[in-house]
Amino acid sequence: MKNNGNVIEKIVSLSKRRGFIFQSSEIYGGLNGCWDYGPMGVELLNNIKKEWWNSMTLRDDIEGLDASILMHPKVWEASGHVDNFTDPMIDCKQCKARFRVDLLGGMLNEKRKKKSVRALNENCNESELKSKIEKLLSENNEVNAFDIIIEDEQLSGLLLQELNCPQCGTKGSFTQARQFNLMFKTFIGPVEDSGSVVYLRPETAQGIFVNFLNVQNSTRQKLPFGIAQIGKAFRNEINTKNFLFRTREFEQMEMQFFVKPADDKKWYDNWKEQRMKWYTNLGMNLDNLRFQNHPENKLAHYAKEATDIEYNFPFGWGEIEGIHNRTDFDLRRHEEFSGKSLKYFDEEIKEKILPYIIETSAGASRSFMAFLTEAYSEEEVKGEQRIVLKLHKKIAPIKASILPLVNKDGMPEIAKKIEEDLRFKFKIFYDDKGAVGRRYRRQDEIGTPYAITIDTQTTEDQTVTVRERDSMEQIRISSDSLSAFLHEKLST
Ligand code: ATP
């Protein structure tokens, strides 16, 4: 399915049809970059978050946290977001399309970028520069002009006159490139002035950093230990695209692990391995996952070492999680800006130190999309197409369906009794509408691992059939043992 170019459209359509994802405010034409999770979607998302939460907090060296979305504006000055959380943007005046310049460019490395800028700029007046640019664009495809736009204002203006809009093809129709801060601003209190500006958090991490000592003091944790948090984050992305991949409101699952500075490499490698395993343990094929290490010249301002876990989406490889060695950057900056010490007393060396931080920052919404993509499959069964979501049992929204074969002959009564028995133990779905084959297909489409059918034989010997989603094999078991059966199957 992966190579099928339409697979995203198919997933979007299934998501709407079966209640996974709806467009936000759909009846008003939708709101760009925002999506709603429907009845199946919210179950799947909650299951992904629960698996992550359990993997992080059911151990003795990680504590949980739920910090507020709105934080003191100084937090974002200290973190560098006010100055650095920007993307370069240009608009086409002709077709009104808006682009992130860095995504249009071929991403030259810094050295080559600087060299190209220097070569263009050296000792020439404007008309010489113009002809140099024309020559560059016609001859030298190695240099990607979009890459050097943001480097130099004068060059940028001239280059933009020569470049074609990727959408409508018009030459020289771009506005000046400008840096655009991705943080959403709002106001606290009734007066909308600069003194009351606050931001919707663009990441959950800062809530963890500023609470480092609160958590450490209240739990008496010793290094190394971590703090985990799941929550909404907001980024005013210039271009939202690829369904849930790049949205303006999304959820993150972040864990910051505080270590002694000398142990940073050990823990960075350890978390890389643990995080990759988390995805494969939940059914992702290792062939569809890879690490993409950040080259030194592309490291974020806070990072000493960084890698992305990428998933092989139908539109190409895309980051689903970042793992960073953030050094003591964050704690040091918050000390500076708040004037409060965030040091930890190391009893071994009897000294106060600033720990280093290893961050694992996963997108709940992006993982959701990766799990959905991984699970989506189409098969031919007896000449008919079957769409099935082969979701791992642990994250499947519904664990079992209960299907009386017909709505008579005592079958609904038995089915209702089974439902009563299972309802509070597992997420189940009762369906008595239509032919049983169609009911199986409906459950396959939402990834329900087991279908329990009550038929004539059930009324005679209290056995039911249990159909397994992927193999479609059926076994007969006693209805009394259903709870134990599901319990065993779902926990292994
Ligand atoms: P990108 O380069 O794709 O914009 P990023 O490097 O800015 O991502 P991080 O700041 O490392 O992303 O955020 C950590 C995780 O949060 C990402 O791996 C991703 O899963 C998720 N994430 C970030 N931005 C978005 C978004 N706009 N929509 C959905 N998920 C996002």
Side-chain angles (χ1 to χ4, degrees):
M1 277 316 296
K2 274 295 154 45
N3 295 328
N4 185 333
N6 292 330
V7 78
I8 292 287
E9 279 114 273
K10 289 180 176 178
I11 291 172
V12 173
S13 145
L14 173 89
S15 291
K16 172 153 191 209
R17 195 168 71 245
R18 302 311 319 274
F20 282 90
I21 298 290
F22 308 127
Q23 211 184 356
S24 161
S25 328
E26 190 187 271
I27 59 168
Y28 291 99
L31 182 67
N32 208 313
C34 302
W35 298 91
D36 296 343
Y37 289 75
M40 290 306 113
V42 70
E43 293 294 337
L44 174 57
L45 184 67
N46 282 344
N47 289 342
I48 292 170
K49 290 191 288 187
K50 190 176 81 201
E51 285 304 315
W52 183 89
W53 188 254
N54 287 348
S55 78
M56 289 295 175
T57 61
L58 296 184
R59 42 189 282 168
D60 62 6
D61 58 353
I62 297 184
E63 305 290 343
L65 181 77
D66 188 4
S68 68
I69 288 175
L70 300 177
M71 301 178 75
H72 195 289
K74 276 215 157 167
V75 167
W76 306 109
E77 285 175 37
S79 68
H81 282 81
V82 171
D83 289 336
N84 297 322
F85 199 54
T86 55
D87 281 335
M89 175 176 87
I90 48 174
D91 293 307
C92 171
K93 290 184 235 165
Q94 188 66 29
C95 69
K96 310 285 177 237
R98 177 161 286 176
F99 304 97
R100 247 175 81 174
V101 184
D102 56 327
L103 294 185
L104 290 178
M107 304 292 273
L108 294 177
N109 71 33
E110 290 304 315
K111 240 193 202 155
R112 285 182 49 213
K113 216 191 290 188
K114 290 228 158 66
K115 212 169 127 200
S116 314
V117 172
R118 224 182 306 124
L120 283 173
N121 256 345
E122 248 160 27
N123 303 327
C124 52
N125 60 34
E126 191 164 322
S127 72
E128 284 167 338
L129 187 57
K130 259 195 158 160
S131 59
K132 266 193 189 177
I133 285 174
E134 267 163 34
K135 196 157 169 267
L136 169 104
L137 291 174
S138 62
E139 283 173 6
N140 192 346
N141 13 355
E142 224 194 2
V143 174
N144 194 322
F146 280 111
D147 270 331
I148 51 183
I149 281 173
I150 31 183
E151 291 294 303
D152 181 298
E153 216 174 301
Q154 191 197 5
L155 268 183
S156 166
L158 291 170
L159 271 171
L160 283 168
Q161 287 171 26
E162 302 300 323
L163 291 168
N164 300 326
C165 167
Q167 182 153 301
C168 68
T170 313
K171 186 176 167 188
S173 61
F174 291 117
T175 58
Q176 277 292 353
R178 56 199 188 279
Q179 290 292 346
F180 172 73
N181 195 299
L182 300 188
M183 282 198 292
F184 278 100
K185 262 187 200 164
T186 186
F187 301 93
I188 206 149
V191 186
E192 296 192 2
D193 63 16
S194 58
S196 59
V197 166
V198 288
Y199 302 97
L200 298 189
R201 67 179 176 202
E203 61 177 30
T204 57
Q206 300 300 326
I208 296 181
F209 303 141
V210 298
N211 275 300
F212 162 64
L213 274 192
N214 282 337
V215 174
Q216 197 267 325
N217 287 334
S218 57
T219 59
R220 308 179 66 184
Q221 282 282 3
K222 302 245 175 306
L223 294 185
F225 77 94
I227 304 176
Q229 167 162 240
I230 297 177
K232 290 256 175 158
F234 305 83
R235 296 183 187 180
N236 201 358
E237 299 279 0
I238 294 170
N239 296 116
T240 56
K241 60 175 182 187
N242 292 329
F243 196 31
L244 307 174
F245 185 80
R246 189 173 301 288
T247 55
R248 297 202 164 104
E249 175 177 339
F250 55 96
E251 245 176 320
Q252 290 187 313
M253 308 184 288
E254 294 197 302
M255 193 282 300
Q256 312 291 333
F257 205 69
F258 300 84
V259 302
K260 293 190 181 184
D263 295 339
D264 63 340
K265 179 72 183 143
K266 180 178 95 188
W267 281 107
Y268 175 76
D269 292 341
N270 179 300
W271 278 110
K272 268 178 74 174
E273 195 184 318
Q274 290 194 53
R275 291 305 304 145
M276 188 58 106
K277 266 199 197 135
W278 185 79
Y279 292 101
T280 53
N281 284 346
L282 286 177
M284 277 198 196
N285 186 337
L286 197 54
D287 292 343
N288 287 328
L289 292 165
R290 72 175 187 194
F291 286 115
Q292 189 70 339
N293 296 336
H294 295 199
E296 227 166 275
N297 60 17
K298 287 272 178 300
L299 284 176
H301 59 279
Y302 52 77
K304 177 172 162 191
E305 205 171 355
T307 193
D308 294 334
I309 296 182
E310 292 189 338
Y311 180 74
N312 188 13
F313 288 101
F315 51 82
W317 290 94
E319 171 187 340
I320 52 175
E321 170 159 354
I323 298 166
H324 309 118
N325 176 350
R326 301 185 68 115
T327 68
D328 59 2
F329 175 85
D330 307 278
L331 295 180
R332 200 158 28 79
R333 293 277 290 190
H334 285 304
E335 276 199 333
E336 250 171 61
F337 280 71
S338 69
K340 305 268 161 43
S341 167
L342 290 173
K343 292 198 176 60
Y344 164 92
F345 184 73
D346 185 338
E347 277 161 15
E348 248 171 48
I349 54 170
K350 305 280 180 236
E351 252 180 53
K352 284 190 158 189
I353 60 162
L354 271 186
Y356 270 31
I357 296 172
I358 307 302
E359 165 179 80
T360 70
S361 173
S365 336
R366 270 197 202 165
S367 312
F368 178 103
M369 185 167 162
F371 281 118
L372 211 54
T373 311
E374 182 79 15
Y376 185 88
S377 61
E378 290 174 1
E379 296 171 355
E380 203 171 295
V381 179
K382 294 185 193 142
E384 268 186 44
Q385 193 198 48
R386 164 172 110 119
I387 295 175
V388 51
L389 282 188
K390 295 187 171 176
L391 290 166
H392 191 283
K393 291 171 203 167
K394 284 197 169 152
I395 57 173
I398 306 282
K399 306 302 181 194
S401 57
I402 299 173
L403 318 171
L405 191 60
V406 289
N407 257 328
K408 55 183 183 181
D409 303 336
M411 291 180 217
E413 289 76 11
I414 301 175
K416 283 281 170 201
K417 220 175 140 291
I418 293 174
E419 183 196 8
E420 249 169 59
D421 182 36
L422 300 180
R423 171 67 65 202
F424 295 104
K425 298 179 188 151
F426 311 97
K427 184 75 187 163
I428 50 165
F429 187 84
Y430 187 95
D431 187 4
D432 59 1
K433 292 176 197 72
V436 76
R438 287 180 63 92
R439 282 183 266 165
Y440 284 150
R441 295 285 179 273
R442 284 207 291 264
Q443 294 304 313
D444 289 342
E445 273 197 334
I446 57 171
T448 307
Y450 297 103
I452 300 161
T453 306
I454 292 90
D455 54 18
T456 320
Q457 198 178 326
T458 318
T459 61
E460 290 158 9
D461 65 4
Q462 280 77 51
T463 61
V464 293
T465 66
V466 180
R467 171 187 178 269
E468 199 272 330
R469 178 194 67 200
D470 298 349
S471 64
M472 291 182 286
E473 270 168 20
Q474 301 194 13
I475 54 166
R476 267 207 105 81
I477 64 169
S478 144
S479 60
D480 286 352
S481 59
L482 270 172
S483 178
F485 172 88
L486 286 176
H487 189 78
E488 193 217 312
K489 291 285 181 190
L490 294 170
S491 57
T492 48

